[in-house]
Structure formats: structure tokens, C-alpha cells
Amino acid sequence: MAEQFADHHLNIPRLSILGTDNSDLFHPQAANKSDQAQLPKELSKHPGFARVFKPGKLTFGLIAPFKGYPDTPIPDVYDLGESARLAEKAGFAALWIRDVPFYDPRFGDVGQGLDPFVTLGYLAAKAKKIALGSAGIIAQLREPIHIAKAAATTLV
């Protein structure tokens, strides 16, 4: 049974983003012949990706709303931009935004409670070096073309 889960038996699809095969995000270093990993050249030059995925290093990020709110399912986000600046100054690698479109008592909270793409645009204006990303988008509630357009516009 364990043998069926060996790496060579997994059916992992080859992923393509903008025509580039990115299924092997880390390639073994040929020079060292060690267990170290090296980012592909095209990704190692991307500032956000290189900040988050540092070979041989552990990085930390925060998921919005970036601070605790134990007594309510709806956080106070009045200082979201300032919190992003402080996280960047403290050396965090990334800030992640969740798409929680409504309050469901069984889920527990509403995330930052704001549209994720608008929030990422706002945070991009507040922080300069920290990587920004989405921890999840509820695709069933959005048109795919709008997700793609918002994501591409946010990246610019």
C-alpha cells in the first residue's frame, strides 16, 4: 500500500502559467549535488517570490487582518495599512488576504471583511517591499475573467 504513494506513482499534473511549465518550482543544484534547492532563474528574479521562497531559509508571513480579535467575528481593520507597514518593517516576508464574502457563524470569522483585490491594491500603496498575495479566492462567487483581470491588475 505504501508503495502506491511513492513519488514516481503520483499523478501530479504539469502546471502552466503564461505558457511556462512551473510544476518543478525548485530544481536540484547540479554544482553542489546536495539536498539544497535552487529557484528557477525566472522566479529567482521576481522580488516577491524570492522574498517568500528563500532556499534553505524559513520565512514568515501574516494572514489578514494581521492582529487578533478574540471577542468578535468581525475584526477592526482601521489600521490595516499601518499594520502592513509594521509587518514589512519587522521583516515579515508576505501578507496574505482571505476572500471571506459573508459571515457564516459555523466558519467563525469574516477575515479582513473587505474585497481581497481591492485590499491588495490598498496594501501595495502602503507597503513597498513585502510580498502580497491571496490565501484563497472563492471562485464560485466570481466570474473567472474578473478574477484573472483583478489578479493581473493587482500585480502591476
Side-chain angles (χ1 to χ4, degrees):
M1 178 91 179
E3 191 156 317
Q4 80 182 49
F5 294 108
D7 288 344
H8 63 279
H9 291 290
L10 293 177
N11 185 13
I12 299 173
R14 299 197 66 75
L15 303 176
S16 177
I17 298 173
L18 300 177
T20 303
D21 180 11
N22 295 313
S23 58
D24 300 320
L25 291 180
F26 293 96
H27 301 288
Q29 289 179 340
N32 279 352
K33 293 186 180 180
S34 68
D35 289 339
Q36 290 287 340
Q38 182 178 357
L39 289 172
K41 290 178 187 176
E42 62 273 8
L43 291 177
S44 66
K45 293 178 183 177
H46 186 281
F49 195 92
R51 183 175 174 98
V52 175
F53 299 102
K54 295 181 180 183
K57 304 263 185 198
L58 177 65
T59 63
F60 290 94
L62 296 173
I63 295 180
F66 313 142
K67 59 182 181 179
Y69 48 105
D71 300 326
T72 179
I74 303 169
D76 184 354
V77 292
Y78 77 94
D79 62 347
L80 193 65
E82 183 57 29
S83 296
R85 282 194 200 127
L86 289 172
E88 181 175 66
K89 189 175 179 179
F92 283 92
L95 300 176
W96 302 97
I97 302 301
R98 294 183 295 152
D99 186 8
V100 184
F102 49 82
Y103 174 61
D104 178 350
R106 294 172 293 177
F107 183 72
D109 72 279
V110 296
Q112 73 279 348
L114 307 168
D115 181 271
F117 293 112
V118 173
T119 303
L120 288 168
Y122 172 76
L123 294 176
K126 296 294 185 176
K128 302 301 176 207
K129 294 181 182 178
I130 199 164
L132 302 172
S134 170
I137 297 296
I138 309 299
Q140 297 88 333
L141 298 178
R142 300 173 186 270
E143 289 291 328
I145 192 68
H146 293 160
I147 295 172
K149 183 178 177 182
T153 305
T154 303
L155 291 173
V156 176

